[in-house]
Amino acid sequence: MAVDYLVIAAYLAGMLAMGWWGMRRARSKSEFLVAGRRLGPAMYSGTMAAIVLGGASTIGGVGLGYQYGLSGAWMVFTIGLGLLALSVFFSARIARLRVYTVSEMLDLRYGGRAGVISGVVMWAYTLMLAVTSTIAYATIFDVLLDLDRTLAIVLGGSIVVAYSVLGGMWSITLTDMVQFVVKTVGLLLLLLPIAVVRAGGFDGMRAELPTSYFDPLGIGGETIFTYVLVYTFGMLIGQDIWQRVFTARSDRTARWGGTVAGTYCLAYALAGAVIGTAAKVLYPKLGSADDAFATIVRDELPVGVRGLVLAAALAAVMSTSSGALIACATVANNDIWARLRGAVRSSGAEPDEVRGNRAFILVMGVAVIGAAIALNDVVEALTVAYNLLVGGLLVPILGGLLWKRGTAQGALASVAVGGLAVIVLMAAYGILANEPVSYGLLASLAAYVAVSLATRPTDAAVLAAWRERLAGRSPEPVSEPVPAHQ
């Protein structure tokens, strides 16, 4: 394993080096949080694909392929569909807003009264996404180094926190590009063909497995519908995804770069399902489907290649973890703490915004590592986060973009009713049931439409300012650069 260890060590050292290099570029709030809104098509596509394809898409995607065959691709496939929909229909308008958070968009659209509660919901979602991504380090380092679970989480989480604190979005963008390349080579170009060959090719797999493994709808129509509700719609409104859209240097970059990334996700989904199907042939009696990825990597790949593929899995986890971490810190600082600070701060002096955001990434990072150590059931935790996100925030966000009659009161009612409905229905049906997000979304929509129609329309001046921002005619406030000695 010595060669594999060297590959992993070089990868981790490279991540820290990228963080140090990114620190030199992060001199303003815009540079630190959204990479100065300067990413071109290639870098934008790579980083967007990296953040949406995390440990769940890699380890979990292979596990679904092991359990259901080719139809196991649907979870990651719906993620790709969501990214495509976001890129084609909404990304240009989102990029032109030149904000930093989803809650800022809601404040602009509804007149400054709808962002507080949405900020709390979005913070909870991004925090849980970061936690569940961090837990995945335990699986990877257990295969690689046979490390204790707690030590593995602390090691992986500390590296992500370190490079995120150093350079913010610039560091995360640079590391995500490396991670995108490593994932492409490790998973698509190495593990996929090797797994298929070792399983006897597609003919061999068909001979060994039931026909249901090759049914594109074998996982079940209800499950696919739930994936669409949770993941496709979740891609449309998540702070972690929007914050990447904000990094695009132009409307065209956001639209076409995201379309390329979404298409890549579809290919990645199919690759994971095929690898899982091959693993079912090779190891038909694994204790858990989620062990399929680690087992096939450990037993079927040659020295060196094994290290690169494990680095690819590590890259998948780190990209999602770092993206969720900076999103969580951005929401906590700009949507929650800034409002509290604004209410109590009497001095007119502006704080050092880069330093403040660095501090929040560090604090949130420590909280994420601690929660990851304490938490066991990651599937339930992530389901709660996505149900609240979609059930509470999808309607007011898309309604604000598509329906001018929507009001602040309607948006607040939508968030409150949808979120409460999801919580009650999860208690009644179970956290993993399909009903909470479906019925919660319907309740949110009904509340939004009914209350909006029953209240006075949004002020004409607010809508006029909103249209100016959507058209890209309202400049972003300039953030002063931080002096080099700081």
Side-chain angles (χ1 to χ4, degrees), residues 395 403 405-407 410-411 413-414 443-455:
V395 170
W403 191 41
R405 186 60 181 82
T407 66
S414 177
S444 178
L445 177 60
Y448 181 70
V449 173
V451 175
S452 292
L453 292 176
T455 52

Side-chain angles (χ1 to χ4, degrees), residues 19-31:
W20 184 263
W21 190 86
M23 182 176 64
R24 303 173 62 87
R25 305 193 65 168
R27 301 293 185 188
S28 69
K29 179 181 179 180
S30 177
E31 296 283 353

Side-chain angles (χ1 to χ4, degrees), residues 221-252:
E222 187 177 352
T223 299
I224 294 170
F225 178 70
T226 302
Y227 285 158
V228 171
L229 284 183
V230 174
Y231 296 113
T232 301
F233 288 155
M235 287 294 106
L236 298 180
I237 58 175
Q239 169 67 25
D240 51 326
I241 309 302
W242 277 42
Q243 199 158 344
R244 293 310 173 94
V245 176
F246 300 151
T247 66
R249 72 183 180 198
S250 68
D251 299 355
R252 184 178 177 83

Side-chain angles (χ1 to χ4, degrees), residues 397-416:
I397 292 172
L398 294 189
L401 289 169
L402 299 173
W403 191 41
K404 68 179 182 179
R405 186 60 181 82
T407 66
Q409 295 88 343
L412 289 171
S414 177
V415 175

